[in-house]
Amino acid sequence: MIVNVGVVGATGYAGQELVDILLRHPQARLAGLYSTADEPRQFSSVFPRFAGRVELMLRKLDLKELADNCDCVFLALPHTTAMDAVPYLIRKKKTVIDLSADYRLASADVYKSAYHAAHKDKGNIKKAVYGLPELYRQKIGTAQLIANPGCYPTAAILALAPLVATDAVDTSSVIIDAKSGTTGAGKKAVLESLFSEVDEDFKAYKVNAHQHMPEIVQELSKLAGRKVPVCFVPHLLPLKRGILETIYVRLNKKVAFDTERILDLYRKFYKHEPFVRIRRNGEFPSLKDVSGTNFCDIGVQADRGSVIIISAIDNLLKGASGQAVQNMNIRYLFPETMGLV
Amino acid sequence: MIVNVGVVGATGYAGQELVDILLRHPQARLAGLYSTADEPRQFSSVFPRFAGRVELMLRKLDLKELADNCDCVFLALPHTTAMDAVPYLIRKKKTVIDLSADYRLASADVYKSAYHAAHKDKGNIKKAVYGLPELYRQKIGTAQLIANPGCYPTAAILALAPLVATDAVDTSSVIIDAKSGTTGAGKKAVLESLFSEVDEDFKAYKVNAHQHMPEIVQELSKLAGRKVPVCFVPHLLPLKRGILETIYVRLNKKVAFDTERILDLYRKFYKHEPFVRIRRNGEFPSLKDVSGTNFCDIGVQADRGSVIIISAIDNLLKGASGQAVQNMNIRYLFPETMGLV
Amino acid sequence: MIVNVGVVGATGYAGQELVDILLRHPQARLAGLYSTADEPRQFSSVFPRFAGRVELMLRKLDLKELADNCDCVFLALPHTTAMDAVPYLIRKKKTVIDLSADYRLASADVYKSAYHAAHKDKGNIKKAVYGLPELYRQKIGTAQLIANPGCYPTAAILALAPLVATDAVDTSSVIIDAKSGTTGAGKKAVLESLFSEVDEDFKAYKVNAHQHMPEIVQELSKLAGRKVPVCFVPHLLPLKRGILETIYVRLNKKVAFDTERILDLYRKFYKHEPFVRIRRNGEFPSLKDVSGTNFCDIGVQADRGSVIIISAIDNLLKGASGQAVQNMNIRYLFPETMGLV
Amino acid sequence: MIVNVGVVGATGYAGQELVDILLRHPQARLAGLYSTADEPRQFSSVFPRFAGRVELMLRKLDLKELADNCDCVFLALPHTTAMDAVPYLIRKKKTVIDLSADYRLASADVYKSAYHAAHKDKGNIKKAVYGLPELYRQKIGTAQLIANPGCYPTAAILALAPLVATDAVDTSSVIIDAKSGTTGAGKKAVLESLFSEVDEDFKAYKVNAHQHMPEIVQELSKLAGRKVPVCFVPHLLPLKRGILETIYVRLNKKVAFDTERILDLYRKFYKHEPFVRIRRNGEFPSLKDVSGTNFCDIGVQADRGSVIIISAIDNLLKGASGQAVQNMNIRYLFPETMGLV
């Protein structure tokens, strides 16, 4: 079975990455590439990197045309705009994998306070499945609308899930010190993202105020069965791809796990996961271990009740487009790693 | 004697660099900082780097106020806009050091074709002295309007002057393969200057069509006493500061110079120059030798009539703000290196 | 048909890249990984990036074991050491793809002067086919020993071949201004390759004295039917992957080609080549167009008898491991692009 | 008064930086440059960057010659080797500013466990003053042996001192997530410091096991009047200069400070400090605010008993050579900022 796929927002970083993966995917056929461009243009003339590999035109989004040509639609649009396209596609029975934040949060109020915009499609929020395969594989398998997780949340939730799900951590103690490459900010012409500004620099931003916080809180809280607040400080790295999160938690007083015991817990929790790799005692991941791959690597160290967890992903792959294709694979019953290794 | 100086365009890269140099200059007093900002703002709140060092406000340019407060004005404005300010300042008898291209070219027609704008102040072009101290020190000493050279031209002209001025090169053979850091493009929010686009990339741009070509041609032609065309290919380096130019020329057939003979010529030509350093036979400059300094370093290698010359400067210092202060020092009879080493 | 392949020198940059490609190659089976390590170690524990993908051990090179396990051997060894392994493998009828320089030069004397070591296996030099598919595809198809081209020569020869082979250039005029990323220098712990030394720096090195010059001269001379000297200045870029060469030639006096005519020539010359892409008039390649791919992109501009040619490759792919696999594909009659797009 | 100064270890990154600062220092005269080099060499031929600025030779360390020529000696040697030179210099009544770790720790046992070497000069440990001017200015003023602080400890201690000294923090809660540029590792030819390894990568290292931890613990404990343990995770940034530390602490239960109150405390604590700048509420420092300067910038945010403190320094200036010259200024009664702004 070949799935006809469309990519909306194909000129952004996640969009280009989707095209790259889908070109190599044996069961997917790229059937449409869309952006905000008024005039149709050869995709490969906009991105010479794809010359000789893609013949498709880049067209202005036309929902009807999109629905006519594609079975599965990847929306790589800025948040607050994906929800303009979703209702029509859902009505047309398309499978929608939305890389924006629009359907990740169960509460429209939380959405509004995080993204400073009222939700315009509350009806479909309930239909959406949070597309983190390691937690929701079964639901993803039958979902029509998949809310692909944010990059920071992917690394954070996978890093914390085994401990939080087993009630081992003091849920008031979670500190996430996150560092991201620049593609995480998308392709927007703003002064602060210029090479001359970012190169040789490093800084924190949106300290304890990043829009991904409620998403992390929502998922950790579901795992814990009670509200799990987090302290979340994202930083901007002078490199293109990758997120590394250094996470600090305290164990519950009754829990006396040492590093080996925790690693054991993690290995079991992720035993059947093709894209989560637990590092050995004494080892931690670096970005280059995961850059260009769909893996999430995790290292752990515990000392007298305090635990340091370090997780690393490629923000454009496991943190966006790779995970989106992983979700497509699950949804269409393809081997989960198809096109991704 | 203390000179009251004003910096117009203080928020750009050259402007910030001027502020940095002038703060350490024992004979200059920063008397005004101007930009396009509507509301006056504390300069150090816009650039926290200067906190504790600069108390001045950043104000919207008001030519009268500027002229009232300052004796010497540095214009670090985009080309085609400096010429709006110059006529008034000249009338007010101010010393103007213009870092834009507006008064570098003797021909308004050449200016128009290079900068795609008609010159609005042709009368003052003749008054302007091309501010390359190594060639025009004496005229700079009495100039009221100094046209500070472009970054690429500074490195190219200094690299070629000794051979061209002595009629040693085949003037039809000049090839300049130039590489510049990103600050050379100024501080403009455009997609192609994003960190995510420039990092890990390298490319040529404006191949044989860069606006600095006529400036190089003009100065080399003056030195040669006849038209010297150049082939000029600029490239963009993934780093912030520095220009390195690899220059290829053939010697005139009658000239049989070897490397040592050419080095000797260069050493003599620049014997009394505080900011030109000639490298030893077998050695060539790298950007880090000059980055953060006002030096231009030059290395040479000759082989059977072909000569390779490599010159390196910091584009924001010897290629812009450092050279501008060097010109101020000459104009005000301060030691030429004051504030610059 | 599945080919059992061995990679010798699997810990270097080209070696790791070979492993990465061969893992995804449908007709190749990685049968052995070798390095200088005394103790066998899990390859994926040395390079956690490969965890979950490679189960093989990294072993100390044992030629007999290698020959027993593998049909096709990739030698990613430093030059002057590959020739220690080749004779045995040739005797054992193995197909050898040598990424070192040891069998690229037809003359042992030229080899000695370029690599400062006497050749120890002169007998096999004649057997070797220079592995540039665009020029020697047919011979590669039946070769037992393939001398995989150097990175700089690949970009230079592909850029110049159409003009040189048609006798269109003044062969005394060839200037190659080459810029390479740092992986080109291999993985050697030397001070000048430290991040703290290379970052934010740019410089020329081995000016007109690089060991790849004779290789370029050899191949251009074969194409021209007479000696073609080159002026070759390599530079080191502060980035990991990629080579971009800006090449300057003059046309023969009788040849009056303009840009379009030359582009036409190039398009025809490379008409059936899957990995050479000619850019449109007015466009030139940047590194990011080819980085991570096996393509060589070429742009051309001509002006009154002078031609600028810019070519770009990924030095680890088309400049090393990608081209090596392309050669394997040709040798084993696999589709030439297999595993490479 | 002019002080004759010697720099031992002048070829390392801190050593070069010292030379650079001291050349511009109006009261210091560079009297000797020493390294491990066997043959004397012109310093500026080893580092062409200094050509035209330094005439001195780089000589092999000869303690007698050093003592004869210099009043004040900067030791920029690897730890465990400075203590070979100190005893002689102390006997000769020289002022010694030691940039190594050898005299920072009051306990020789702690030193041994941190640096894996027995201390060879226990007698002088007591004489040493910890050279953090903001805490020990008075003692530095009369010290003969100044133990210049480590780079990580400088940023950490300055960030925490106001809260720790006023008993406001739960001293069991200190988490320091530190990020450093590559020059912090010194100039050593090791594979893991190659550009090809570090570029585009980011990782933690020596997790909770870095040799600077005991130094931080020692100083915080002195301020608190009781043992203050820290959780300390250093990371390596792909950039050359700068340290940024994101620090997480909980306030004591009885302390109900909000952000403004804490900022007020910090402003008062550092009121007279020329090199500590407290950021406004809502602002945090980035590396570029301090890179190339001797400043330590600090931002704070508090939320329900949890406090985030971010501090930034240039590791080679306030974290090493700049602070060393600041100490010299204090010791010799020069204006504290002389040569440093």
Side-chain angles (χ1 to χ4, degrees):
Chain A
M1 175 202 179
I2 295 293
V3 181
N4 286 306
V5 300
V7 175
V8 183
T11 59
Y13 295 128
Q16 291 177 56
E17 203 71 26
L18 275 169
V19 173
D20 201 48
I21 300 170
L22 292 166
L23 281 172
R24 283 182 272 113
H25 195 287
Q27 305 285 98
R29 194 179 72 84
L30 268 181
L33 300 177
Y34 300 91
S35 77
T36 54
D38 277 330
E39 298 283 307
R41 298 172 64 188
Q42 191 94 25
F43 185 72
S44 66
S45 81
V46 180
F47 301 109
R49 171 178 194 77
F50 288 100
R53 297 181 62 205
V54 186
E55 297 300 317
L56 285 173
M57 300 300 286
L58 188 63
R59 298 186 188 279
K60 187 169 182 172
L61 178 57
D62 174 326
L63 283 174
K64 186 176 179 313
E65 181 195 308
L66 172 65
D68 287 350
N69 293 335
C70 305
D71 308 309
C72 176
V73 173
F74 291 92
L75 296 177
L77 293 168
H79 44 71
T80 77
T81 66
M83 58 189 169
D84 292 330
V86 165
Y88 180 86
L89 296 169
I90 292 295
R91 280 199 304 278
K92 290 290 180 184
K93 310 290 185 208
K94 302 298 159 186
T95 296
V96 178
I97 300 175
D98 177 21
L99 283 80
S100 88
D102 286 2
Y103 296 87
R104 293 178 199 153
L105 296 169
S107 155
D109 289 344
V110 172
Y111 179 86
K112 186 173 179 180
S113 91
Y115 294 94
H116 311 296
H119 206 288
K120 292 179 264 181
D121 183 32
K122 293 180 190 172
N124 280 317
I125 294 178
K126 275 181 296 289
K127 283 198 181 159
V129 172
Y130 190 71
L132 192 63
E134 291 76 9
L135 297 184
Y136 300 103
R137 181 170 288 111
Q138 210 165 348
K139 286 186 177 175
I140 293 164
T142 58
Q144 196 194 344
L145 174 55
I146 297 167
N148 212 58
C151 49
Y152 284 127
T154 295
I157 298 162
L158 291 176
L160 285 162
L163 281 174
V164 170
T166 53
D167 201 22
V169 302
D170 170 352
T171 52
S172 75
S173 73
V174 182
I175 292 169
I176 302 170
D177 192 283
K179 301 91 174 173
S180 173
T182 59
T183 51
K187 200 171 159 187
K188 277 169 290 183
V190 292
L191 279 180
E192 64 183 17
S193 298
L194 294 182
F195 184 90
S196 299
E197 298 293 316
V198 172
D199 181 49
E200 299 295 299
D201 194 23
F202 179 72
K203 65 176 174 186
Y205 67 103
K206 296 187 182 175
V207 173
N208 247 340
H210 193 278
Q211 65 273 14
H212 282 174
M213 278 177 77
E215 187 179 335
I216 299 170
V217 167
Q218 167 182 292
E219 294 302 316
L220 294 183
S221 300
K222 273 202 267 181
L223 285 165
R226 66 178 179 285
K227 181 75 176 268
V228 180
V230 301
C231 171
F232 180 71
V233 183
H235 301 73
L236 185 68
L237 288 167
L239 53 83
K240 290 208 287 197
R241 299 171 76 120
I243 281 178
L244 188 137
E245 300 186 4
T246 311
I247 300 174
Y248 305 88
V249 295
R250 289 194 310 276
L251 295 176
N252 272 330
K253 280 185 185 146
K254 294 174 189 166
V255 176
F257 291 173
D258 63 4
T259 302
E260 201 46 70
R261 176 74 190 277
I262 297 175
L263 285 172
D264 207 47
L265 173 70
Y266 275 65
R267 280 186 219 111
K268 277 176 189 146
F269 195 91
Y270 292 122
K271 192 172 183 180
H272 301 294
E273 290 305 329
F275 289 120
V276 179
R277 300 185 294 201
I278 307 303
R279 301 297 294 265
R280 266 179 293 210
N281 196 336
E283 289 186 8
F284 293 93
S286 66
L287 283 189
K288 73 178 159 208
D289 298 336
V290 298
S291 182
T293 83
N294 198 50
F295 288 104
C296 176
D297 282 11
I298 299 172
V300 176
Q301 186 182 97
D303 185 27
R304 278 164 299 169
S306 290
V307 185
I308 300 164
I309 310 158
I310 299 182
S311 65
I313 60 170
D314 183 317
N315 60 305
L316 291 178
L317 290 169
K318 185 62 178 167
S321 307
Q323 186 145 268
V325 173
Q326 187 182 355
N327 281 320
M328 179 189 78
N329 287 340
I330 294 169
R331 172 64 186 72
Y332 287 92
L333 306 177
F334 303 143
E336 192 162 330
T337 61
M338 185 173 269
L340 294 170
V341 281
Chain B
M1 175 202 180
I2 295 293
V3 181
N4 286 306
V5 300
V7 176
V8 183
T11 59
Y13 294 129
Q16 291 177 56
E17 203 72 26
L18 276 169
V19 173
D20 201 48
I21 300 170
L22 292 166
L23 281 173
R24 283 181 273 112
H25 195 288
Q27 305 284 99
R29 193 180 72 84
L30 267 181
L33 300 177
Y34 299 91
S35 77
T36 54
D38 277 330
E39 297 283 307
R41 297 172 64 188
Q42 191 95 25
F43 185 72
S44 66
S45 82
V46 180
F47 301 109
R49 171 177 193 77
F50 288 100
R53 297 181 62 203
V54 186
E55 297 300 317
L56 285 173
M57 300 301 286
L58 187 63
R59 297 184 189 282
K60 187 170 184 174
L61 178 56
D62 174 326
L63 283 173
K64 186 175 178 314
E65 182 196 307
L66 172 66
D68 287 350
N69 293 336
C70 305
D71 308 309
C72 176
V73 174
F74 291 91
L75 296 177
L77 292 168
H79 45 70
T80 78
T81 65
M83 57 189 170
D84 292 330
V86 166
Y88 180 86
L89 296 169
I90 292 296
R91 280 199 305 277
K92 290 292 180 181
K93 311 289 186 206
K94 301 298 158 187
T95 296
V96 177
I97 301 175
D98 177 20
L99 283 80
S100 89
D102 286 1
Y103 296 88
R104 292 179 199 154
L105 296 170
S107 156
D109 289 345
V110 172
Y111 179 86
K112 187 173 177 180
S113 91
Y115 294 94
H116 312 296
H119 206 287
K120 292 178 265 182
D121 183 30
K122 293 180 190 173
N124 279 318
I125 293 179
K126 275 182 295 291
K127 282 198 181 159
V129 172
Y130 190 71
L132 193 62
E134 291 76 9
L135 297 184
Y136 300 103
R137 182 170 288 110
Q138 211 166 346
K139 286 186 176 174
I140 294 164
T142 58
Q144 196 194 344
L145 174 56
I146 297 167
N148 212 58
C151 48
Y152 283 128
T154 295
I157 298 163
L158 291 176
L160 284 161
L163 281 175
V164 170
T166 53
D167 201 22
V169 303
D170 171 352
T171 51
S172 75
S173 72
V174 182
I175 292 169
I176 302 170
D177 193 282
K179 301 90 175 173
S180 173
T182 58
T183 51
K187 199 172 160 186
K188 277 170 291 186
V190 292
L191 279 180
E192 65 183 16
S193 299
L194 293 183
F195 183 90
S196 299
E197 298 293 316
V198 173
D199 181 48
E200 299 296 297
D201 194 23
F202 180 71
K203 65 175 175 185
Y205 68 101
K206 296 186 182 176
V207 172
N208 247 342
H210 193 279
Q211 65 274 13
H212 281 175
M213 278 178 76
E215 186 179 336
I216 299 171
V217 167
Q218 167 182 294
E219 294 302 316
L220 294 182
S221 300
K222 273 202 267 181
L223 285 167
R226 65 179 180 284
K227 182 73 177 270
V228 181
V230 301
C231 171
F232 181 70
V233 183
H235 301 72
L236 185 68
L237 289 166
L239 54 83
K240 291 208 287 196
R241 299 171 76 122
I243 281 178
L244 189 138
E245 300 186 4
T246 311
I247 300 175
Y248 304 88
V249 295
R250 289 194 309 275
L251 295 176
N252 272 329
K253 281 186 183 148
K254 296 174 186 165
V255 177
F257 292 172
D258 63 2
T259 303
E260 202 45 71
R261 177 74 189 276
I262 297 174
L263 285 172
D264 208 48
L265 173 69
Y266 275 65
R267 281 187 219 107
K268 278 176 188 145
F269 196 91
Y270 292 122
K271 192 172 183 179
H272 300 295
E273 290 305 330
F275 290 119
V276 179
R277 299 185 295 200
I278 307 303
R279 302 296 295 265
R280 267 180 293 209
N281 197 334
E283 288 186 9
F284 292 94
S286 66
L287 282 189
K288 74 177 158 207
D289 297 337
V290 298
S291 181
T293 82
N294 198 49
F295 287 105
C296 176
D297 282 11
I298 300 173
V300 176
Q301 186 182 98
D303 186 26
R304 280 164 298 168
S306 289
V307 185
I308 300 164
I309 312 158
I310 299 182
S311 64
I313 60 170
D314 183 317
N315 60 305
L316 292 178
L317 290 168
K318 185 62 178 168
S321 307
Q323 186 145 268
V325 172
Q326 188 181 355
N327 281 320
M328 178 189 79
N329 287 340
I330 294 170
R331 171 65 186 71
Y332 287 91
L333 307 177
F334 302 144
E336 193 163 329
T337 60
M338 185 173 268
L340 293 170
V341 283
Chain C
M1 176 201 177
I2 296 291
V3 181
N4 286 307
V5 300
V7 175
V8 184
T11 59
Y13 295 129
Q16 291 176 57
E17 203 71 25
L18 276 169
V19 172
D20 201 47
I21 300 169
L22 292 166
L23 280 173
R24 283 182 273 113
H25 194 288
Q27 305 284 98
R29 194 180 72 84
L30 267 181
L33 299 177
Y34 300 91
S35 77
T36 54
D38 277 330
E39 299 283 307
R41 299 172 63 188
Q42 191 95 24
F43 184 72
S44 66
S45 82
V46 181
F47 301 109
R49 171 177 194 77
F50 289 100
R53 298 180 61 205
V54 187
E55 297 301 316
L56 285 173
M57 301 300 285
L58 186 64
R59 298 186 189 281
K60 186 169 183 174
L61 177 56
D62 173 326
L63 283 174
K64 185 173 180 315
E65 181 195 308
L66 172 65
D68 287 350
N69 292 336
C70 305
D71 308 310
C72 176
V73 174
F74 291 91
L75 296 176
L77 293 168
H79 45 70
T80 78
T81 64
M83 58 188 168
D84 292 330
V86 166
Y88 179 86
L89 296 169
I90 293 295
R91 279 199 306 276
K92 290 290 180 182
K93 311 290 185 207
K94 302 298 159 186
T95 296
V96 178
I97 301 175
D98 177 20
L99 284 81
S100 89
D102 286 2
Y103 296 87
R104 293 178 198 153
L105 296 170
S107 155
D109 289 345
V110 172
Y111 179 86
K112 187 174 180 180
S113 92
Y115 294 95
H116 311 297
H119 205 289
K120 291 179 263 181
D121 183 31
K122 293 180 190 172
N124 279 318
I125 294 179
K126 274 181 295 289
K127 282 198 182 158
V129 172
Y130 190 71
L132 193 63
E134 291 76 9
L135 297 184
Y136 301 102
R137 182 170 288 109
Q138 211 166 349
K139 285 186 177 176
I140 293 165
T142 58
Q144 196 195 344
L145 174 55
I146 297 168
N148 212 58
C151 49
Y152 284 127
T154 294
I157 298 162
L158 291 176
L160 285 161
L163 281 174
V164 170
T166 54
D167 201 21
V169 302
D170 171 352
T171 50
S172 75
S173 73
V174 182
I175 293 170
I176 302 169
D177 193 282
K179 300 89 174 175
S180 173
T182 58
T183 51
K187 199 171 160 188
K188 277 170 289 185
V190 292
L191 279 181
E192 65 183 17
S193 298
L194 293 183
F195 183 91
S196 299
E197 299 293 316
V198 172
D199 181 48
E200 299 295 298
D201 195 23
F202 179 71
K203 64 175 175 185
Y205 68 102
K206 295 187 183 175
V207 173
N208 248 340
H210 193 279
Q211 65 275 11
H212 281 175
M213 279 178 77
E215 187 179 335
I216 299 170
V217 167
Q218 167 182 294
E219 293 302 315
L220 295 183
S221 300
K222 272 201 268 180
L223 285 166
R226 65 178 180 285
K227 181 74 177 269
V228 181
V230 300
C231 171
F232 180 72
V233 183
H235 302 73
L236 185 69
L237 288 166
L239 54 82
K240 290 208 286 196
R241 298 171 76 120
I243 281 178
L244 189 138
E245 301 187 5
T246 310
I247 300 176
Y248 305 88
V249 294
R250 288 193 310 274
L251 295 176
N252 271 331
K253 283 188 182 142
K254 296 172 186 164
V255 176
F257 292 172
D258 63 2
T259 303
E260 201 46 70
R261 176 75 190 277
I262 297 176
L263 286 171
D264 208 48
L265 173 69
Y266 275 64
R267 280 186 219 108
K268 278 176 188 145
F269 196 91
Y270 291 122
K271 194 172 182 180
H272 301 293
E273 290 304 330
F275 290 120
V276 179
R277 300 185 295 199
I278 307 303
R279 302 297 295 265
R280 268 180 291 211
N281 196 336
E283 289 187 8
F284 292 93
S286 66
L287 282 189
K288 73 177 157 209
D289 297 337
V290 298
S291 182
T293 83
N294 198 49
F295 287 104
C296 176
D297 282 12
I298 300 173
V300 176
Q301 185 182 98
D303 185 26
R304 280 164 299 171
S306 289
V307 186
I308 300 165
I309 310 157
I310 299 183
S311 64
I313 60 170
D314 183 317
N315 60 304
L316 292 178
L317 290 168
K318 186 61 178 167
S321 307
Q323 185 145 267
V325 172
Q326 187 181 356
N327 281 321
M328 179 190 78
N329 287 340
I330 294 170
R331 171 65 185 71
Y332 286 92
L333 307 177
F334 302 142
E336 193 162 329
T337 60
M338 186 173 269
L340 294 170
V341 282
Chain D
M1 176 201 176
I2 296 291
V3 181
N4 287 305
V5 299
V7 175
V8 183
T11 59
Y13 295 128
Q16 291 178 56
E17 203 71 26
L18 276 168
V19 172
D20 202 48
I21 300 169
L22 292 166
L23 282 172
R24 283 182 274 111
H25 195 288
Q27 305 285 98
R29 193 180 73 84
L30 268 182
L33 300 177
Y34 299 91
S35 78
T36 54
D38 276 331
E39 298 284 306
R41 299 173 63 188
Q42 191 95 24
F43 185 72
S44 66
S45 81
V46 180
F47 301 109
R49 173 177 192 77
F50 289 101
R53 297 181 62 205
V54 186
E55 297 300 318
L56 284 173
M57 301 300 287
L58 187 62
R59 297 185 189 282
K60 187 169 182 173
L61 177 56
D62 174 326
L63 284 174
K64 185 175 180 314
E65 181 195 307
L66 172 65
D68 286 351
N69 293 335
C70 305
D71 308 309
C72 176
V73 173
F74 291 92
L75 296 177
L77 293 168
H79 46 71
T80 77
T81 64
M83 59 188 167
D84 292 330
V86 165
Y88 180 87
L89 296 168
I90 293 296
R91 280 199 305 277
K92 290 291 180 182
K93 311 289 185 208
K94 301 298 157 186
T95 296
V96 178
I97 301 175
D98 176 21
L99 283 81
S100 88
D102 286 1
Y103 296 87
R104 294 179 198 153
L105 296 170
S107 155
D109 288 345
V110 172
Y111 179 87
K112 186 173 179 182
S113 91
Y115 294 94
H116 311 296
H119 206 290
K120 292 179 263 182
D121 182 32
K122 293 179 190 172
N124 279 316
I125 294 178
K126 274 181 296 290
K127 283 197 180 161
V129 172
Y130 190 70
L132 193 63
E134 290 76 10
L135 297 184
Y136 300 102
R137 182 169 287 111
Q138 210 166 349
K139 284 186 178 174
I140 293 165
T142 57
Q144 197 195 343
L145 174 56
I146 297 167
N148 213 58
C151 49
Y152 284 127
T154 295
I157 298 162
L158 292 175
L160 285 161
L163 281 175
V164 170
T166 53
D167 201 21
V169 303
D170 171 350
T171 50
S172 75
S173 72
V174 182
I175 293 170
I176 302 169
D177 192 283
K179 301 90 173 174
S180 173
T182 57
T183 51
K187 199 171 160 187
K188 276 170 288 185
V190 292
L191 279 179
E192 66 183 17
S193 298
L194 294 183
F195 183 90
S196 299
E197 298 293 315
V198 172
D199 181 48
E200 300 296 297
D201 194 22
F202 180 71
K203 64 175 174 186
Y205 68 102
K206 296 186 183 175
V207 173
N208 248 343
H210 193 279
Q211 66 274 12
H212 282 175
M213 279 177 77
E215 187 179 335
I216 298 170
V217 168
Q218 167 182 294
E219 294 302 316
L220 295 182
S221 300
K222 273 202 266 180
L223 285 166
R226 65 178 180 284
K227 182 75 177 272
V228 181
V230 301
C231 171
F232 180 71
V233 182
H235 301 73
L236 185 68
L237 288 166
L239 54 83
K240 290 207 287 196
R241 299 170 75 120
I243 281 177
L244 189 138
E245 300 186 4
T246 311
I247 300 174
Y248 305 88
V249 295
R250 289 194 310 275
L251 295 176
N252 271 329
K253 280 185 185 147
K254 295 173 187 166
V255 176
F257 291 172
D258 62 3
T259 303
E260 202 46 70
R261 177 73 191 277
I262 297 175
L263 285 172
D264 208 49
L265 173 70
Y266 275 65
R267 282 187 218 107
K268 278 177 187 144
F269 196 91
Y270 291 122
K271 192 172 183 180
H272 301 293
E273 290 305 330
F275 290 119
V276 179
R277 299 186 295 200
I278 307 304
R279 301 298 295 265
R280 268 180 292 211
N281 196 336
E283 290 186 8
F284 292 93
S286 66
L287 282 189
K288 73 177 158 209
D289 298 337
V290 298
S291 182
T293 82
N294 198 50
F295 288 104
C296 176
D297 282 12
I298 300 172
V300 175
Q301 186 181 99
D303 186 27
R304 278 165 299 170
S306 289
V307 186
I308 300 165
I309 311 158
I310 299 183
S311 64
I313 60 169
D314 183 317
N315 60 304
L316 292 178
L317 290 168
K318 186 62 178 168
S321 307
Q323 185 145 271
V325 172
Q326 187 181 356
N327 281 321
M328 179 189 78
N329 286 340
I330 294 169
R331 172 64 185 73
Y332 287 91
L333 307 177
F334 302 142
E336 193 163 329
T337 61
M338 185 172 269
L340 294 170
V341 283

